[in-house]
Amino acid sequence: MNEPFLMSAVQADTAAPDAAHDQSADQPFPTLGYTNRLSEIQRRWLLLASSRGFGPVKLALAAELILGRTCESSLFSTRDKQVSSLTAVEQARVRRCMSGVEPAQPAAAELIAVVIQWLESAADHSLMTLLDDDYPPLLKQLKDPPAVLYLKGRRDLLAYPQIAIVGSRRASRQGMHVAKSFARELSANGLTITSGLAQGIDTAAHQGCTETRTVAVLGCGTDMFYPPANRPLQVAIANNGLLVSEFPPGTQPAPHHFPKRNRIIAGLCLGTLVVEAGVRSGSLHTAMSALELGREVMAIPGSIYSTESRGCHSLIKQGAALVETATDIVQRLHGTLETYRQLNGLAIDPASGVTDDMAALSSPAQQGPAKVVLDALSAPKDLDELVANTGLGVSELMQALLSLELDDLVIQEGGRYQRAEFELK
């Protein structure tokens, strides 16, 4: 942090009681009760973030001014160099807020009180600002990065490489299966799965890795449950993964919140996978945000007769990578993933490529009799055909089929078994 800002902040923090009493009329922060969960620097940043005329773009410039460096990663360089600098008046406002001499307006004081109460209500609640050392470098590359993130769950997950899986709310059974299985396999390869907790594809993506790690970015406060049907899933993610929002606690969902949420999803991730999407889908907004950042965009093709495949086909026509397996994605991201891990000091298991401290179990379909059965189902087959093709005994075969059905990898219709991804809508 720049020395002038640091010195003024320290001086304000350690001011004599008499001096604080003398400026009671202009006290920067009303008496809200001391908390170890919100630092004085974070309080002052919230005051600046609440200032009229300071939106995400200007707050990003303010952070650069305060920190004395540009908010960029050395891995990617996509920040708009043409963005205007702060005016002299705006710089003065930044200095007043961060030095602790700017009086808090009622709205700012109310926000700070709400944030303190929220932070103290649960041990897994935390606040992240653009000034924090662990703010995700990739997210800073947005021209309008969120100035404040409200987190519930494992804050450390934001340090690990993420991939977004997004798609239609009106997903087909096949699309749900694909999203879930891709999430499971990508998670097993060391990637954190990030999505928006919407119904359909987002839900399936989170479900595929809830027991390992997943990040859900919300279009409301982290204390709101939206959509209501996903309340159990949201609770599970908070317990094992992470909920992220730029909206303060108590903020209800609203239509204009979701494009903002989508840009965060794209900004956090090395790449975005679209499973199913209509031509006007919000998932395409996420994909476009990823493209603007120079990130990898991938899409899974579908039936030419499905309206929920047209968005994916449109992306492919515009240059998005057509992928058919999770391996395709891992291979496309390999170079970027290795660079990311090296820059962030993440340990790598040379044999598997999975970070040592976040290795996940492989899908049952990747090992033993279940893999043999899955490989044999290049077309629908009955039990006799599977016995002949796999060489497995009937008992072992039935156990493998049951396991695959429970994992939504195989379905049975009319006494014949087939891989779920082959099911026609």
Side-chain angles (χ1 to χ4, degrees), residues 177-189:
H177 159 75
V178 168
K180 186 183 294 186
S181 61
F182 268 63
R184 183 187 298 118
E185 292 188 44
L186 291 169
S187 179
N189 278 276

Side-chain angles (χ1 to χ4, degrees), residues 294-359:
R295 312 286 170 79
E296 190 77 49
V297 175
M298 298 152 285
I300 295 177
S303 169
I304 61 173
Y305 301 108
S306 170
T307 58
E308 297 307 315
S309 294
R310 291 176 184 169
C312 292
H313 294 169
S314 175
L315 286 173
I316 292 169
K317 290 176 182 177
Q318 296 176 63
L322 186 158
V323 295
E324 298 175 305
T325 67
T327 302
D328 292 341
I329 296 173
V330 173
Q331 290 175 345
R332 292 195 68 86
L333 293 178
H334 178 74
T336 301
L337 190 57
E338 295 307 306
T339 304
Y340 180 94
R341 285 168 171 160
Q342 291 172 13
L343 289 175
N344 289 276
L346 301 178
I348 302 173
D349 177 355
S352 67
V354 180
T355 50
D356 291 338
D357 51 352
M358 298 196 68

Side-chain angles (χ1 to χ4, degrees), residues 164-170 195-196 198-199 201-202 255 257-266 272-290 308 311 315:
I165 299 181
V166 296
S168 174
R169 287 179 171 83
R170 300 181 297 276
S195 197
Q199 292 180 323
I201 297 299
D202 290 18
H257 290 172
F258 295 99
K260 295 180 179 180
R261 174 204 64 179
N262 293 343
R263 91 187 193 287
I264 296 176
I265 294 173
T272 295
L273 172 66
V274 183
V275 177
E276 286 184 338
V279 291
R280 297 185 182 277
S281 170
S283 303
L284 298 191
H285 181 273
T286 306
M288 291 300 107
S289 294
E308 297 307 315
L315 286 173

Side-chain angles (χ1 to χ4, degrees), residues 35-335:
T35 176
N36 289 323
R37 306 295 302 281
L38 184 70
S39 71
E40 186 64 23
I41 296 299
Q42 287 177 324
R43 288 187 190 226
R44 295 171 184 177
W45 179 256
L46 286 175
L47 175 60
L48 177 63
S50 303
S51 298
R52 181 174 299 178
F54 274 83
V57 174
K58 288 186 178 179
L59 286 168
L61 294 170
E64 293 176 355
L65 177 66
I66 294 166
L67 296 172
R69 61 179 183 269
T70 58
C71 292
E72 291 186 14
S73 161
S74 59
L75 177 57
F76 302 99
S77 183
T78 59
R79 194 167 180 79
D80 185 356
K81 303 296 184 182
Q82 303 305 314
V83 174
S84 306
S85 298
L86 296 175
T87 66
V89 172
E90 290 168 339
Q91 290 186 40
R93 171 64 66 85
V94 173
R95 295 179 189 279
R96 290 199 305 274
C97 287
M98 297 309 297
S99 64
V101 299
E102 180 77 4
Q105 298 301 314
E110 182 179 354
L111 171 63
I112 293 168
V114 167
V115 170
I116 288 177
Q117 182 178 17
W118 175 77
L119 287 171
E120 294 183 337
S121 67
D124 64 348
H125 290 176
S126 64
L127 190 74
M128 179 178 284
T129 77
L130 272 170
L131 303 181
D132 293 336
D133 291 338
D134 60 345
Y135 190 98
L138 295 184
L139 194 57
K140 288 182 179 179
Q141 293 166 19
L142 291 170
K143 67 179 180 182
D144 56 346
V148 178
L149 290 174
Y150 300 90
L151 310 177
K152 179 175 177 58
R154 291 185 51 187
R155 179 186 181 114
D156 65 293
L157 286 184
L158 292 183
Y160 288 88
Q162 301 172 55
I163 183 169
I165 299 181
V166 296
S168 174
R169 287 179 171 83
R170 300 181 297 276
S172 66
R173 178 179 175 181
Q174 176 183 352
M176 295 283 284
H177 159 75
V178 168
K180 186 183 294 186
S181 61
F182 268 63
R184 183 187 298 118
E185 292 188 44
L186 291 169
S187 179
N189 278 276
L191 286 163
T192 297
I193 308 303
T194 299
S195 197
L197 199 65
Q199 292 180 323
I201 297 299
D202 290 18
T203 293
H206 290 305
Q207 289 173 337
C209 53
T210 302
E211 295 182 358
T212 52
R213 56 190 182 278
T214 186
V215 174
V217 185
L218 310 181
C220 55
T222 60
D223 56 341
M224 300 288 107
F225 293 98
Y226 184 83
N230 272 353
R231 181 172 185 144
L233 177 59
Q234 184 170 333
V235 171
I237 294 172
N239 289 336
N240 297 312
L242 178 67
L243 302 177
V244 178
S245 178
E246 70 174 316
F247 303 106
T251 303
Q252 296 286 342
H256 63 279
H257 290 172
F258 295 99
K260 295 180 179 180
R261 174 204 64 179
N262 293 343
R263 91 187 193 287
I264 296 176
I265 294 173
L268 286 171
C269 297
L270 296 172
T272 295
L273 172 66
V274 183
V275 177
E276 286 184 338
V279 291
R280 297 185 182 277
S281 170
S283 303
L284 298 191
H285 181 273
T286 306
M288 291 300 107
S289 294
L291 283 173
E292 290 173 2
L293 290 166
R295 312 286 170 79
E296 190 77 49
V297 175
M298 298 152 285
I300 295 177
S303 169
I304 61 173
Y305 301 108
S306 170
T307 58
E308 297 307 315
S309 294
R310 291 176 184 169
C312 292
H313 294 169
S314 175
L315 286 173
I316 292 169
K317 290 176 182 177
Q318 296 176 63
L322 186 158
V323 295
E324 298 175 305
T325 67
T327 302
D328 292 341
I329 296 173
V330 173
Q331 290 175 345
R332 292 195 68 86
L333 293 178
H334 178 74

